[in-house]
């Protein structure tokens, strides 16, 4: 791991957040020894490094930027904070818009499934059902678009039993195929762009794609911990706790029969739960003022 390069990437992100753009010329002049890496990073943030401040269409939050930002704990935090800012902005804008009609719930679920697969495949070529369920779980938690049926506790964290109807519809239409593991891939009739278009008005796509892209790059265990901790902490808050930390979250996890064993595993150690709480507040998936992190 190159800590100096990680620091430069974080500073570029901070610069982008403060000024609203990225001036490639400044960063290339300041760090010529990392010219190639900086050019690649700036391009994947959505800017052309050879034309300062010029954005490149449809390249925000993608590919190499994800790999760079997931390379160290501080960089991951900076990435999560940026995604969280997009989520907060989208929520604020949604407060002024009228609710959308639900239409065919299974068709909507099938489109959401196909959309999530499309985003996930930009993070990794091997996408599983677990990834799709966790991405859509957090999309529902972040934006409340009612795209998929309700989630409930499962062996690997929250999952939606009813989402299988959407999967079946997507398979019947040739949008997706499911193979062993189970791994999910595009079918012969897949059109992620049309799936995304069908969700316009129900989902703030830019913020949702940034969130889904971030989540899709995590491991199965990281997704399981993140979703389980979010579910439990939210339950504790709704149950009357003014502020929740590791003890309250651990107790809420233990109250779910399917999850009680998790509290005795390394992934759900005190440090693991605390790190998940930190990440969830960065992503605006838990209210900062209701979470105790010390």
């Amino acid at each position: 791991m190159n800590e100096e390069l990680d620091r430069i990437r974080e500073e570029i992100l901070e610069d982008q957040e403060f000024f609203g753009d990225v001036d490639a010329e400044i960063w290339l002049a300041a760090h010529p020894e990392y010219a190639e890496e900086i050019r690649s990073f700036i391009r994947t943030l959505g800017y052309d490094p050879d034309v300062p401040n010029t954005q490149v269409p449809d390249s925000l939050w993608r590919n190499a930027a994800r790999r760079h930002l997931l390379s160290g704990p501080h960089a991951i935090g900076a990435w999560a904070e940026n995604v969280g800012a997009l989520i907060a902005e989208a929520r604020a804008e949604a407060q002024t818009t009228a609710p959308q009609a639900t239409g065919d719930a299974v068709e909507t679920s099938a489109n959401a499934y196909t959309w999530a697969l499309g985003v996930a495949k930009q993070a990794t070529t091997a996408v599983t059902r677990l990834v799709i369920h966790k991405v859509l779980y957090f999309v529902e938690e972040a934006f409340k678009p009612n795209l998929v049926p309700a989630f409930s506790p499962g062996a690997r964290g929250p999952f939606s039993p009813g989402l299988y109807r959407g999967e079946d519809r997507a398979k019947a239409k040739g949008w997706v195929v499911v193979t062993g593991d189970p791994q999910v891939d595009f079918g012969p009739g897949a059109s992620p762009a049309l799936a995304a278009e069908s969700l316009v008005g129900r989902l703030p796509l830019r913020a949702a794609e940034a969130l889904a892209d971030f989540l899709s790059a995590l491991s199965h265990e990281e997704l399981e911990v993140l979703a389980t901790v979010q579910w439990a902490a939210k339950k504790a808050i709704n149950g009357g706790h003014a502020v929740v930390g590791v003890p309250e979250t651990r107790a809420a996890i233990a109250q779910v029969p399917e999850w009680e064993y998790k509290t005795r595993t390394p992934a759900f150690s005190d440090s693991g739960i605390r790190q998940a709480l930190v990440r969830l507040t960065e992503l605006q998936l838990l209210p900062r003022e209701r979470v105790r992190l010390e």
Side-chain angles (χ1 to χ4, degrees):
M1 181 188 301
N2 188 323
E3 293 184 359
E4 174 67 10
L5 189 53
D6 279 345
R7 182 187 63 77
I8 293 169
R9 291 170 182 140
E10 289 184 49
E11 290 179 355
I12 292 173
L13 283 173
E14 292 171 0
D15 199 43
Q16 179 194 23
E17 183 175 5
F18 186 81
F19 292 106
D21 58 32
V22 174
D23 192 330
E25 186 176 4
I26 290 176
W27 293 104
L28 290 169
H31 302 283
E33 70 277 20
Y34 294 119
E36 182 178 350
E37 292 88 344
I38 289 173
R39 283 176 181 275
S40 175
F41 184 64
I42 289 175
R43 183 174 295 281
T44 55
L45 286 180
Y47 296 88
D48 186 342
D50 299 314
V51 184
N53 303 336
T54 301
Q55 285 200 281
V56 178
D58 301 324
S59 60
L60 188 62
W61 316 118
R62 301 301 169 94
N63 303 323
R66 177 197 312 107
R67 293 194 296 274
H68 293 323
L69 286 164
L70 292 175
S71 63
H74 299 298
I76 294 171
W79 179 248
E81 290 277 5
N82 276 272
V83 175
L86 283 177
I87 291 172
E89 180 182 346
R91 285 171 174 162
E93 292 176 355
Q95 293 175 2
T96 64
T97 61
Q100 300 294 313
T102 56
D104 182 339
V106 177
E107 188 79 2
T108 298
S109 180
N111 276 301
Y113 195 105
T114 305
W115 166 81
L117 173 60
V119 178
K121 282 186 68 65
Q122 296 182 61
T124 176
T125 55
V127 180
T128 64
R129 276 190 180 132
L130 184 143
V131 171
I132 300 294
H133 277 256
K134 296 303 179 280
V135 164
L136 290 175
Y137 170 72
F138 280 119
V139 165
E140 290 290 335
E141 288 295 301
F143 308 110
K144 304 292 187 279
N146 295 316
L147 300 178
V148 300
F151 284 78
S152 58
R156 299 296 300 273
F159 86 114
S160 171
L163 184 55
Y164 288 109
R165 293 183 64 196
E167 179 187 290
D168 287 342
R169 176 74 63 87
K171 287 191 294 186
K173 287 177 171 287
W175 297 348
V176 305
V177 292
V178 180
T179 59
D181 194 30
Q183 187 169 317
V184 185
D185 208 339
F186 288 131
S191 177
L194 288 178
E197 184 179 337
S198 75
L199 304 180
V200 171
R202 309 242 345 232
L203 189 67
L205 284 174
R206 181 168 179 260
E209 287 176 0
L211 173 60
D213 187 61
F214 177 88
L215 295 169
S216 298
L218 303 181
S219 69
H220 281 187
E221 182 177 88
E222 289 168 327
L223 286 170
E224 177 185 346
V225 172
L226 205 64
T228 303
V229 168
Q230 194 273 349
W231 176 286
K234 181 181 175 182
K235 181 178 180 181
I237 290 171
N238 292 340
H241 288 280
V243 179
V244 300
V246 172
E248 296 82 5
T249 303
R250 176 177 293 282
I253 293 173
Q255 288 172 6
V256 179
E258 296 91 338
W259 295 349
E260 190 276 333
Y261 80 94
K262 294 181 188 291
T263 60
R264 300 187 296 276
T265 64
F268 287 86
S269 65
D270 284 355
S271 62
I273 292 174
R274 183 188 180 280
Q275 183 56 57
L277 290 171
V278 169
R279 192 71 66 239
L280 290 161
T281 57
E282 290 168 344
L283 290 166
Q284 302 284 333
L285 294 170
L286 285 175
R288 290 178 186 270
E289 69 275 9
R290 304 292 299 274
V291 178
R292 183 178 64 254
L293 297 174
E294 73 277 1

